């Protein structure tokens, strides 16, 4: 695939994700009716996030992630979450997310500003490595990007599946 095809694909997948991101489904923060497009394994939202994970892999500038996916649902200092590729080993991350998203907890960490605004909002984080978390089905299943605080590039990304696969 050429760079222009990648760019067009990224734009299309990003638009799909953004159109579905805030639609309430059964597993949303404020649950509604089951919606196959946003709730189902391999539904439109899940597929768009899987594709974005592939297109925004290791070495991608953080600004590209923000432009494609907008502000993360949660920014976690990497020191608070020892992420791995195995769900059962991500207990620290899951505990941090559950603790910091309950009862009005902050969902975006404070720190220096990353290069201005995205979608009209400022994104803050420090020079420490950070984890950008994008919820697929609220705190149950999510895509994460480990961001290098110095280079502001993706070190790695992965999924946490709470009850699937």
């Amino acid at each position: 695939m050429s760079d222009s095809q990648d760019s067009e694909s990224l734009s299309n997948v990003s638009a799909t994700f953004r159109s579905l991101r805030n639609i309430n489904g059964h597993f949303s923060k404020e649950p509604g009716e089951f919606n196959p497009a946003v709730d189902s394994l391999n539904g439109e939202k899940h597929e768009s996030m899987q594709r974005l994970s592939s297109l925004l892999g290791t070495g991608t500038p953080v600004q590209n992630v923000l432009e494609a996916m907008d502000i993360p649902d949660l920014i976690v200092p990497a020191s608070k979450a020892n992420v791995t590729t195995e769900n059962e080993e991500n207990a620290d991350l899951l505990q941090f997310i559950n603790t910091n998203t309950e009862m009005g907890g902050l969902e975006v960490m404070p720190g220096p500003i990353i290069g201005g605004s995205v979608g009209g909002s400022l994104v803050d984080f420090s020079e420490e490595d950070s984890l950008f978390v994008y919820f697929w089905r609220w705190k149950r299943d999510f895509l994460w990007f480990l961001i290098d605080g110095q280079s502001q590039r993706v070190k790695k990304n992965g999924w946490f599946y709470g009850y699937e696969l």
Side-chain angles (χ1 to χ4, degrees), residues 62 66 75 108-114 123-132 147-150 152-153:
V62 68
L66 294 169
I75 299 177
V108 178
M109 296 294 297
I113 294 172
I114 305 174
V123 177
D124 300 340
F125 84 112
S126 68
E127 290 185 1
E128 176 185 356
D129 291 358
S130 298
L131 205 65
F132 282 20
I147 306 297
D148 183 290
Q150 297 297 315
Q152 294 192 10
R153 292 184 177 273

Side-chain angles (χ1 to χ4, degrees), residues 13 16-17 20-21 35-54 69 134-137 141-143 159-161 164-165:
V13 175
T16 299
F17 169 70
L20 297 168
R21 185 174 188 189
N35 181 336
V38 297
D39 292 322
S40 291
L41 181 67
N42 297 321
E44 290 177 71
K45 184 177 180 183
H46 185 229
E47 284 186 352
S48 67
M49 292 177 76
Q50 288 177 312
R51 185 74 179 121
L52 287 166
S53 175
S54 295
M69 299 189 74
Y134 292 89
F135 295 131
W136 161 34
R137 298 188 296 191
D141 308 286
F142 49 85
L143 172 62
W159 279 90
F160 180 88
Y161 290 103
E164 298 282 358
L165 308 178

Side-chain angles (χ1 to χ4, degrees), residues 82-145:
N82 181 23
V83 295
T84 69
T85 56
E86 301 298 324
N87 277 348
E88 59 274 5
E89 296 177 17
N90 285 316
D92 291 345
L93 171 60
L94 193 57
Q95 181 178 355
F96 184 89
I97 287 173
N98 284 326
T99 300
N100 287 281
T101 56
E102 292 297 325
M103 294 188 258
L106 293 177
E107 295 191 12
V108 178
M109 296 294 297
I113 294 172
I114 305 174
S117 66
V118 175
S121 302
L122 293 178
V123 177
D124 300 340
F125 84 112
S126 68
E127 290 185 1
E128 176 185 356
D129 291 358
S130 298
L131 205 65
F132 282 20
V133 175
Y134 292 89
F135 295 131
W136 161 34
R137 298 188 296 191
W138 187 223
K139 297 181 291 182
R140 168 188 171 108
D141 308 286
F142 49 85
L143 172 62
W144 53 263
F145 293 86

